């Protein structure tokens, strides 16, 4: 059974490993081995992820049927920036490779959208990967233009997308 919960500090290590595993599971049709290695050369610290998630509004998808160290397994996460200049920017959306294709990303996104509507946000933006572009299009986002992020000397291509609420 799956549940969406608010981010909790005890999941920071799981989030870090999930991020790394999800990046490296991307088919090389989308991003090369070198791109993926620049994007995530190794899992970042739990401290890094806790700080990143707690400075934004974040949710986790957990698998209550799979316990790891006594807590349900984190199988996906999403977070959105809430600061004045970055409000409405979707920072991350990742699903563990073993759970992809089960509607988890869509459920996490819909949880986020419901929250932002309740908060009165007027728009959402995201730098979508070539892999997540289709999901965001299916949720009503419009493509603004290609975007590029530099990671460890490599330029990673994506798509800046926007949705008016």
């Amino acid at each position: 059974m799956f549940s969406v919960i608010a981010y909790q500090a005890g999941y920071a290590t799981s989030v870090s490993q999930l991020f790394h595993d999800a990046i490296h599971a991307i088919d090389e049709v989308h991003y090369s081995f070198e791109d993926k290695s620049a994007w995530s050369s190794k899992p970042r610290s739990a401290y890094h992820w806790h700080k990143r998630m707690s400075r934004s509004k974040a949710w986790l998808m957990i698998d209550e049927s799979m316990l790891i160290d006594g807590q349900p397994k984190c199988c996906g996460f999403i977070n959105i920036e809430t600061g004045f200049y970055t409000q409405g920017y979707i920072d991350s959306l990742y699903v563990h490779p073993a759970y992809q294709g089960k509607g988890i990303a869509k459920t996490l996104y819909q949880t986020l959208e419901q929250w932002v509507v309740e908060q009165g946000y007027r728009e959402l933006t995201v730098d979508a990967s070539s892999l997540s572009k289709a999901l965001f299009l299916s949720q009503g986002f419009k493509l603004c233009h290609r975007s590029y992020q530099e990671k460890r000397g490599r330029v990673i291509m994506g798509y800046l997308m926007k949705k008016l609420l």
Side-chain angles (χ1 to χ4, degrees):
M1 184 170 141
F2 297 108
S3 297
V4 176
I5 63 170
Y7 169 74
Q8 298 172 12
Y11 281 98
T13 299
S14 297
V15 165
S16 176
Q17 189 65 52
L18 188 156
F19 172 82
H20 181 74
D21 292 347
I23 300 263
H24 285 276
I26 297 172
D27 191 299
E28 291 193 13
V29 168
H30 298 282
Y31 295 101
S32 70
F33 174 79
E34 293 79 14
D35 289 342
K36 295 185 291 184
S37 294
W39 198 341
S40 180
S41 61
K42 62 182 180 179
R44 303 275 310 255
S45 70
Y47 174 78
H48 165 85
W49 277 101
H50 175 63
K51 200 170 173 183
R52 185 169 172 175
M53 299 295 273
S54 59
R55 287 185 174 172
S56 61
K57 181 68 176 169
W59 296 266
L60 309 172
M61 178 71 77
I62 58 168
D63 179 350
E64 295 178 26
S65 68
M66 176 76 74
L67 297 181
I68 297 176
D69 296 329
Q71 73 180 12
K73 180 177 182 168
C74 177
C75 54
F77 67 91
I78 192 168
N79 71 312
I80 187 167
E81 298 293 327
T82 58
F84 181 74
Y85 291 109
T86 58
Q87 187 177 70
Y89 178 78
I90 299 171
D91 177 51
S92 301
L93 172 57
Y94 292 92
V95 176
H96 188 280
Y99 291 87
Q100 292 176 4
K102 299 181 186 302
I104 290 170
K106 181 178 177 181
T107 300
L108 284 166
Y109 170 75
Q110 290 172 342
T111 300
L112 178 146
E113 184 176 288
Q114 180 181 347
W115 183 84
V116 299
V117 167
E118 290 168 0
Q119 303 308 305
Y121 286 32
R122 296 190 176 161
E123 71 178 25
L124 293 172
T125 56
V126 65
D127 278 300
S129 68
S130 62
L131 195 62
S132 65
K133 178 183 171 191
L135 169 76
F136 288 109
L137 286 171
S138 77
Q139 297 302 308
F141 280 76
K142 303 294 183 211
L143 177 63
C144 297
H145 56 78
R146 288 186 180 202
S147 62
Y148 303 90
Q149 295 182 21
E150 188 273 331
K151 308 266 187 197
R152 292 188 170 89
R154 292 200 58 92
V155 176
I156 311 290
M157 200 269 301
Y159 302 91
L160 180 64
M161 303 178 79
K162 182 182 285 189
K163 180 177 182 178
L164 299 177
L165 301 171

